[in-house]
């Protein structure tokens, strides 16, 4: 087979959800964020596994993603849309029973007019300046909104992956000031917020990246493996070069494996000269530049060149690879390409340890 194989361990996703769920009190619900096609791993299979594990509420970025998750889950679970109720979303929100998290007075007016009685939540801005109503806007519509009985008041932390950051307590105070006494369930924490401790949990947490094995959830079980088949092996004489720009030069006789996978598959070009692949646990450095469909790897030190090399797995997590590429695990995950053969392990019911 010419394409790489991406193996996604759904039991590990389920185990990560359970582990994050166990960090908050029993009366705090743990949702699951499955936006961006389940962080690149497939929203349908991931959402089904999380539902098996016990998740009852899911978050997506846009209504179209919500429709796909509804397709996968069927009726029942609540699917919340972080971008709220955009013009043109009404039919999807109604037809697929989605719950928009309304971000502005304009969205609130649109929702109450287009779909009176249809569930909604409110997103408040506590300092990130990205989504949600700020204090004056919320003060202006608060009574009207509360009469219509929102199912959730939520906000999002800008620096939750830095536990000592002053933004965290400041946003916590701002969130309390905006929501105390409203009598509506509240949510502030994503993965990082869950790890900050109980005062950040409120009634519902919304982890995403931790479910998929990413930082800041250090105790996460790894979820993905990515094996890239060796297409060809070249033996180079000293002085010969590899790849575009001839940036890598053999000092001695060298053996270079060409593997299937490149920047078109999310293995971004910044990894050139920095990332390693693994052959049965033995690290093999990239040689030369990442190209669109191929990587070239120095395998001179191997006794035998295997049929495939692993770029993601227990030896190198998404965050390790991200560090080599100068980015974050989130970006590596969501960039994983459409050309890989995808193999799903488990169904969310296993993975109990
Ligand atoms: C993406 C997102 C989450 C999940 O964040 P993670 O850091 O992946 O856990 C939760 N809430 C909102 C509003 C988000 O945008």
């Amino acid at each position: 087979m010419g394409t790489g194989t991406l193996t996604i361990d759904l039991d590990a996703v389920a185990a990560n959800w359970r582990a994050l769920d166990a960090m908050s009190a029993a009366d705090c619900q743990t949702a699951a964020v499955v936006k961006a096609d389940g962080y690149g791993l497939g929203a349908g299979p991931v959402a089904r596994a999380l539902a098996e594990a016990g998740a009852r509420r899911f978050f997506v970025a846009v209504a179209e993603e919500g429709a796909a998750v509804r397709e996968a889950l069927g009726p029942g679970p609540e699917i919340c849309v972080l971008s709220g109720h955009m013009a043109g979303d009404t039919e999807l929100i109604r037809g697929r029973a989605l719950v928009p998290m309304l971000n502005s007075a304009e969205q609130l007016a649109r929702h109450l007019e287009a779909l009176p009685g249809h569930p909604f939540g409110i997103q408040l801005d506590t300092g990130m300046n990205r989504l949600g109503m700020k204090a004056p806007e919320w003060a202006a519509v608060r009574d009207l909104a509360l009469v219509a009985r929102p199912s959730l008041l939520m906000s999002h932390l800008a620096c939750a992956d830095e536990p000592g950051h002053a933004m965290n307590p400041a946003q916590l105070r701002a969130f309390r000031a905006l929501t105390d006494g409203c009598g509506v369930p509240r949510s502030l924490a994503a993965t990082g917020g869950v790890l900050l401790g109980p005062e950040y949990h409120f009634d519902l947490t919304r982890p995403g990246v931790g479910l998929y094995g990413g930082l800041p959830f250090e105790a996460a079980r790894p979820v993905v493996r990515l094996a890239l088949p060796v297409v060809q092996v070249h033996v180079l004489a000293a002085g010969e070069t590899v790849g575009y720009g001839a940036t890598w030069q053999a000092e001695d006789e060298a053996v270079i494996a060409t593997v299937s996978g490149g920047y078109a598959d999310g293995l971004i070009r910044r990894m050139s000269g920095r990332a390693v692949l693994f052959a049965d646990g033995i690290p093999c450095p990239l040689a030369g530049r990442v190209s669109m469909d191929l990587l070239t790897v120095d395998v001179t030190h191997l006794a035998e060149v295997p049929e495939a090399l692993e770029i993601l797995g227990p030896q190198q997590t998404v965050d390790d690879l991200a560090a080599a590429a100068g980015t974050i695990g989130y970006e590596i995950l969501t960039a994983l390409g459409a050309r890989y053969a995808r193999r799903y392990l488990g169904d969310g019911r296993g993975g109990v340890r």
Side-chain angles (χ1 to χ4, degrees), residues 93-342:
I93 289 172
R94 192 187 51 73
R96 308 302 173 102
L98 308 177
V99 181
M101 299 292 115
L102 305 173
N103 290 297
S104 63
E106 186 193 358
Q107 286 199 348
L108 178 68
R110 176 182 295 131
H111 185 75
L112 296 180
E113 192 183 337
L115 296 174
H118 185 102
F120 67 97
I122 300 274
Q123 191 157 195
L124 300 167
D125 183 67
T126 52
M128 195 165 175
N129 286 300
R130 190 181 68 165
L131 281 178
M133 299 185 205
K134 292 193 204 326
E137 190 174 19
W138 175 230
V141 300
R142 178 177 151 135
D143 291 348
L144 174 77
L146 291 181
V147 166
R149 302 204 150 272
S151 60
L152 190 70
L153 301 179
M154 62 168 283
S155 188
H156 193 48
L157 296 167
C159 306
D161 57 345
E162 296 176 56
H165 202 291
M167 277 292 273
N168 296 323
Q171 286 193 267
L172 178 60
R173 274 194 303 278
F175 188 57
R176 284 201 172 285
L178 292 173
T179 59
D180 275 351
C182 286
V184 175
R186 298 185 280 186
S187 177
L188 181 61
T191 303
V194 174
L195 302 171
L196 289 179
E199 45 181 352
Y200 287 86
H201 295 171
F202 294 92
D203 304 294
L204 177 100
T205 62
R206 318 180 303 269
V209 75
L211 306 174
Y212 311 106
L215 289 175
F217 185 28
E218 286 187 34
R221 264 173 65 178
V223 169
V224 293
R225 295 183 92 119
L226 177 55
L228 305 175
V230 175
V231 179
Q232 201 181 355
V233 178
H234 290 271
V235 179
L236 278 65
E240 285 194 89
T241 62
V242 175
Y244 285 121
T247 56
W248 190 93
Q249 187 169 35
E251 284 174 19
D252 276 307
E253 182 170 287
V255 183
I256 298 294
T258 305
V259 305
S260 179
Y263 60 75
D265 304 294
L267 303 172
I268 56 179
R269 203 163 161 279
R270 271 291 299 282
M271 292 173 193
S272 304
R274 304 168 191 233
V276 296
L277 285 81
F278 287 85
D280 278 330
I282 304 170
C284 305
L286 277 185
R289 286 189 188 153
V290 172
S291 44
M292 186 185 295
D293 319 298
L294 297 165
L295 304 175
T296 36
V297 187
D298 183 1
V299 293
T300 310
H301 53 301
L302 297 183
E304 200 179 339
V305 182
E307 280 182 16
L309 297 172
E310 199 165 78
I311 191 160
L312 288 173
Q315 279 109 4
Q316 182 161 258
T317 66
V318 287
D319 291 291
D320 297 332
L321 188 61
T327 181
I328 55 175
Y330 296 74
E331 194 176 19
I332 296 295
L333 276 175
T334 55
L336 288 169
R339 283 198 287 198
Y340 302 127
R342 286 168 182 242

Side-chain angles (χ1 to χ4, degrees), residues 6-97:
L6 183 67
T7 305
I8 297 151
D9 185 347
L10 295 175
D11 287 339
V13 173
N16 289 334
W17 183 84
R18 286 194 202 95
L20 289 163
D21 183 46
M23 287 179 198
S24 55
D27 60 353
C28 173
Q29 195 189 349
T30 301
V33 180
V34 295
K35 62 193 180 186
D37 196 26
Y39 286 50
L41 303 183
V46 159
R48 280 192 294 267
L50 288 163
E52 281 294 340
R56 289 288 162 263
R57 202 185 305 210
F58 296 82
F59 284 82
V60 293
V62 294
E64 287 77 3
E65 293 179 341
V69 172
R70 176 64 72 209
E71 199 70 37
L73 292 179
E78 188 169 323
I79 300 172
C80 302
V81 179
L82 293 166
S83 60
H85 191 148
M86 302 281 285
D89 280 354
T90 302
E91 278 319 301
L92 273 185
I93 289 172
R94 192 187 51 73
R96 308 302 173 102

